[in-house]
Amino acid sequence: MFKPLNPLLHSELRLAVVSLLMSVEEADFPYIKEQTKATSGNLSVQIDKLEKAGYISVEKTFRGKRPATICRITPQGQTAFEEYVEALKSYIK
């Protein structure tokens, strides 16, 4: 009757990161931090978990002399998010 919810996406912050990345081509760490109101440390840990799962890609680069972390949703992440939304709908009906 109820579809299982993806435990990786069921975390509020990880869900917020993936939701945000679904609506943009890419986002840098300060933007994601600002939008989610997360601390740097917590956001870093959650981004690492999403990257290890293959849901997002993370590029470490520089903008001028400043380090920059750029995140993008992967096709696997898009699929996982869409499946999560569908599973959630089974609880709402």
Side-chain angles (χ1 to χ4, degrees), residues 20 28-41 43:
L20 178 66
D28 66 6
F29 189 89
Y31 178 75
I32 297 170
K33 182 180 171 197
E34 176 186 320
Q35 294 299 309
T36 61
K37 308 286 190 252
T39 64
S40 295
L43 182 57

Side-chain angles (χ1 to χ4, degrees), residues 15-36:
L15 181 59
V17 170
V18 172
S19 296
L20 178 66
L21 293 175
M22 286 290 289
S23 64
V24 297
E25 188 173 318
E26 63 183 31
D28 66 6
F29 189 89
Y31 178 75
I32 297 170
K33 182 180 171 197
E34 176 186 320
Q35 294 299 309
T36 61

Side-chain angles (χ1 to χ4, degrees), residues 47-74:
I47 284 175
D48 187 53
K49 287 181 182 184
L50 290 167
E51 182 184 28
K52 284 181 177 161
Y55 290 1
I56 66 172
S57 65
V58 178
E59 177 187 357
K60 303 270 186 178
T61 186
F62 285 88
R63 290 195 176 147
K65 293 184 179 186
R66 299 187 70 189
T69 301
I70 310 298
C71 300
R72 295 177 187 87
I73 192 85
T74 64

Side-chain angles (χ1 to χ4, degrees), residues 8-17:
L8 191 64
L9 291 181
H10 203 56
S11 157
E12 183 179 349
L13 182 52
R14 289 191 296 265
L15 181 59
V17 170

Side-chain angles (χ1 to χ4, degrees), residues 3-8 10 83-91:
K3 295 180 182 177
L5 296 174
N6 181 330
L8 191 64
H10 203 56
E83 288 172 353
Y84 181 84
V85 170
E86 285 305 310
L88 201 54
K89 286 179 183 178
S90 73
Y91 288 79

